[in-house]
Amino acid sequence: MTTDPGSNHLFGAIRAAAADSSRPFILSGAGTVTYGDMLDRSAQYANALVAAGLKPGDRVTVQAAKTIECLLFYLAVIRAGGVYQPLNTAYTLAEVEYFLTDAEPVLAIVDAEGVAAMQALCDRISGARVMTLDRGHPDSITDAATAHSAQFEDVARNSDDLAAILYTSGTTGRSKGAMLSHGNLLSNAQALCLVWHFSPDDILIHALPIFHTHGLFVATNVVLLAGAALRFFPAFDADGIIDAMPGSTVLMGVPTFYTRLLANPRLDRSKAGAMRLFISGSAPLLAETHRQFAERTGQAILERYGMTETNMNTSNPYDGARKPGTVGLPLPGTQIRVTAEQTGAPLPPGEVGMVEVHGPNVFSGYWRMPEKTREEFRADGYFITGDLGMIDADGYLVIVGRDKDLIISGGLNVYPKEIETEIDDMGGVVESAVIGVPHDDFGEGIVAVIVGETGSDLDGDAVQRHLAGRLARFKVPKAVHFVDALPRNTMGKVQKNELRKRYDGEFRRQTGDQPDKRVPS
Ligand code: AMP
């Protein structure tokens, strides 16, 4: 018997919500995992972790396929007082070396076929033990767990103790490990349960990866704290999700989920109509996608905004206007302000500046990077998100883009979103990304990269002419490219750094014998 279930800050709350052990937690083709099963199996894993040498505060790195075992294992690490450290499954061994050196886990979990190579790496750099969640392997922690008791005394952890380290994607320099405490995760999941009206009757379609804050914390912790169920998908599957809608209540997705669902002719009111909520986040949802989804299904997608370091910050309201193109209002307990980047002075509504966040959801800093941590917090505790935004007349936050995506052309600030919105509104355009690349005269020159509709005869000149009638001249892209698709990561974020690399030479005068005819006059 667990003697003091409340002493583990996060899991104590999950345990309290799991009071009815016969209720379903995970529904999948392979069967149902009840809350009782979840408690038993995560206890067995927690015992196996302790047997493998885990002590409170030790890191456990997990680079493994999305499986039900992996979700139960995450809970076991929390129960055992460990620090969960998931890694994107796409990372190569060479990339993983940095994370292992930095996080210094005692245990690394990988898929069976990767055990030998990962163990060789760990022997060289850290000495961590490598195991797998897959069954039938000599180093299977799942097989080892079956021999352990289904009782575990949860390790006491308070709200400030670390529960997880999630590395940022590191598009500007080295990836940083965001230290997330039990209190960060619990307070955020509680706020989301409240504002999104979660109840034990909910069945959430879970098709997100679980190495990222969205699928691991937002989707999973909210379900657990509500005592609700999740319908498990190992990956996005448009037909499977559409078929699951009539028996489910909520979908959490990245914007790409919604564009892919819309591309499927089987999506209609009869499928989506009974769902109570569609949520989008992790990247901007096009207002057009919002409109098309509402037209097809009768459902207004609810957009929210968050990041690895802060968990979720804002959400459009459950009751009340869900405004396309905005990320809504601050969550209960969270404060948002928009400031002048250089001085940190708060700006009035309507002015674009740096989005800063404060609240119990905000992380305590970057793992072993005190300098970086100091740079990204204001003296009064607000975290400088790196996102540019403004607060509209109704108090809704509008994200204009990442600070690093801001274009400075001829000394003037240009917000890509403003130009992208104009382009996206043009007939024949699916979507666009606007970037700045080095320009010999202007510092940065603006490039528009556009995905056109099939069969559209729109060309770059027409785009430039259209924009010239609507935007100041310095904002009109000096080059326009049409592509089949924008480069995106697994969370649906457009990889602007990829585009900047691709078009880097666009406006540089060439020294060779091939003059660049695209250099504008
Ligand atoms: P990550 O840490 O991977 O979750 O990325 C966080 C970043 O994603 C934020 O700082 C924003 O730039 C972006 N982001 C997340 N949600 C939204 C949203 N609803 N609209 C626009 N950008 C978003």
Side-chain angles (χ1 to χ4, degrees):
M1 257 307 279
T2 299
T3 49
D4 183 10
S7 65
N8 183 293
H9 191 73
L10 176 56
F11 201 79
I14 292 173
R15 183 186 281 282
D20 182 348
S21 61
S22 66
R23 286 192 69 93
F25 165 43
I26 302 176
L27 305 165
S28 79
T32 297
V33 176
T34 64
Y35 274 89
D37 297 334
M38 178 276 284
L39 290 172
D40 289 351
R41 288 170 63 185
S42 61
Q44 289 182 304
Y45 271 131
N47 280 314
L49 279 165
V50 172
L54 183 90
K55 303 209 173 36
D58 282 346
R59 277 78 59 208
V60 179
T61 296
V62 177
Q63 189 188 33
K66 179 181 177 184
T67 58
I68 291 171
E69 281 68 35
C70 197
L71 273 181
L72 299 172
F73 184 76
Y74 148 65
L75 296 172
V77 173
I78 300 294
R79 295 183 70 175
V83 177
Y84 194 75
Q85 200 270 294
L87 286 179
N88 190 326
T89 40
Y91 287 142
T92 62
L93 212 54
E95 289 169 305
V96 168
E97 178 166 352
Y98 164 72
F99 300 111
L100 293 181
T101 311
D102 194 53
E104 289 189 309
V106 293
L107 182 67
I109 299 287
V110 291
D111 293 330
E113 63 274 14
V115 171
M118 185 73 119
Q119 189 64 71
L121 175 65
C122 287
D123 289 345
R124 185 158 61 75
I125 59 167
S126 69
R129 169 141 190 225
V130 180
M131 297 184 86
T132 182
L133 292 165
D134 297 331
R135 292 189 174 85
H137 187 281
D139 295 306
S140 169
I141 194 163
T142 303
D143 287 342
T146 55
H148 284 282
S149 161
Q151 304 295 325
F152 182 78
E153 189 173 328
D154 298 338
V155 172
R157 297 273 87 187
N158 67 37
S159 73
D160 291 335
D161 285 322
L162 278 195
I165 297 177
L166 262 60
Y167 280 84
T168 58
S169 55
T171 46
T172 50
R174 279 251 118 136
S175 234
K176 298 172 293 234
M179 298 192 288
L180 296 157
S181 69
H182 278 242
N184 294 148
L185 301 185
L186 179 57
S187 65
N188 203 236
Q190 283 171 331
L192 296 175
C193 272
L194 189 76
V195 297
W196 292 339
H197 295 202
F198 266 80
S199 82
D201 295 331
D202 274 310
I203 299 176
L204 175 116
I205 298 176
H206 193 308
L208 291 159
I210 53 170
F211 52 73
H212 184 269
T213 183
H214 197 166
L216 183 61
F217 299 141
V218 184
T220 307
N221 289 346
V222 164
V223 163
L224 283 163
L225 285 174
L230 62 82
R231 203 176 288 287
F232 185 89
F233 283 82
F236 179 83
D237 159 14
D239 280 316
I241 289 174
I242 291 169
D243 287 338
M245 284 178 187
S248 307
T249 62
V250 183
L251 174 68
M252 286 186 194
V254 294
T256 333
F257 278 24
Y258 293 102
T259 49
R260 290 194 195 159
L261 286 171
L262 279 166
N264 190 312
R266 295 181 57 239
L267 177 77
D268 61 19
R269 271 170 209 252
S270 75
K271 296 285 187 191
M275 293 271 286
R276 76 170 179 87
L277 187 58
F278 288 88
I279 302 174
S280 176
S282 291
L285 181 79
L286 290 178
E288 180 60 13
T289 309
H290 192 281
R291 195 191 58 71
Q292 284 179 11
F293 201 83
E295 200 175 278
R296 180 95 70 89
T297 65
Q299 299 268 2
I301 299 171
L302 179 152
E303 186 170 7
R304 59 63 177 172
Y305 157 69
M307 62 196 303
T308 301
E309 290 94 328
T310 62
N311 297 283
M312 300 307 103
N313 299 314
T314 68
S315 170
N316 268 278
Y318 189 82
D319 300 310
R322 299 178 193 168
K323 295 212 270 179
T326 80
V327 293
L329 304 156
L331 294 175
T334 298
Q335 297 88 42
I336 301 274
R337 69 186 181 198
V338 172
T339 62
E341 218 178 315
Q342 299 306 325
T343 61
L347 294 173
E351 281 191 36
V352 173
M354 179 58 73
V355 177
E356 299 185 5
V357 189
H358 185 262
N361 51 313
V362 177
F363 77 141
S364 56
Y366 294 111
W367 173 253
R368 293 182 177 164
M369 287 189 176
E371 285 293 312
K372 263 272 152 228
T373 301
R374 261 194 299 280
E375 278 168 25
E376 302 202 10
F377 278 91
R378 300 276 184 209
D380 61 359
Y382 274 73
F383 174 63
I384 306 165
T385 61
D387 287 317
L388 298 171
M390 65 148 193
I391 302 204
D392 77 6
D394 302 319
Y396 286 51
L397 182 66
V398 177
I399 301 291
V400 172
R402 292 291 294 166
D403 176 32
K404 65 178 193 303
D405 294 333
L406 174 76
I407 303 168
I408 305 182
S409 188
L412 297 166
N413 285 3
V414 180
Y415 299 106
K417 179 80 179 286
E418 187 186 0
I419 306 168
E420 288 160 1
T421 306
E422 290 291 348
I423 297 175
D424 294 346
D425 282 349
M426 291 182 73
V429 171
V430 176
E431 61 175 343
S432 63
V434 168
I435 51 166
V437 295
H439 188 294
D440 288 336
D441 298 328
F442 295 109
E444 281 187 296
I446 303 172
V447 177
V449 187
I450 299 177
V451 180
E453 276 168 10
T454 324
S456 156
D457 57 2
L458 191 67
D459 64 16
D461 286 344
V463 173
Q464 284 169 322
R465 269 199 310 277
H466 174 85
L467 295 177
R470 291 161 185 268
L471 297 172
R473 217 170 130 220
F474 70 93
K475 296 182 189 172
V476 176
K478 296 188 184 340
V480 178
H481 294 280
F482 285 85
V483 294
D484 291 339
L486 296 174
R488 284 201 147 82
N489 71 8
T490 30
M491 299 312 292
K493 287 187 221 298
V494 174
Q495 301 295 78
K496 287 200 168 175
N497 49 333
E498 286 296 317
L499 291 175
R500 281 191 286 262
K501 261 190 245 157
R502 197 184 297 172
Y503 299 109
D504 179 72
E506 189 82 39
F507 304 126
R508 291 182 204 266
R509 284 193 193 97
Q510 299 197 344
T511 47
D513 53 7
Q514 283 264 301
D516 187 347
K517 60 182 187 321
R518 290 166 301 188
V519 172
S521 53

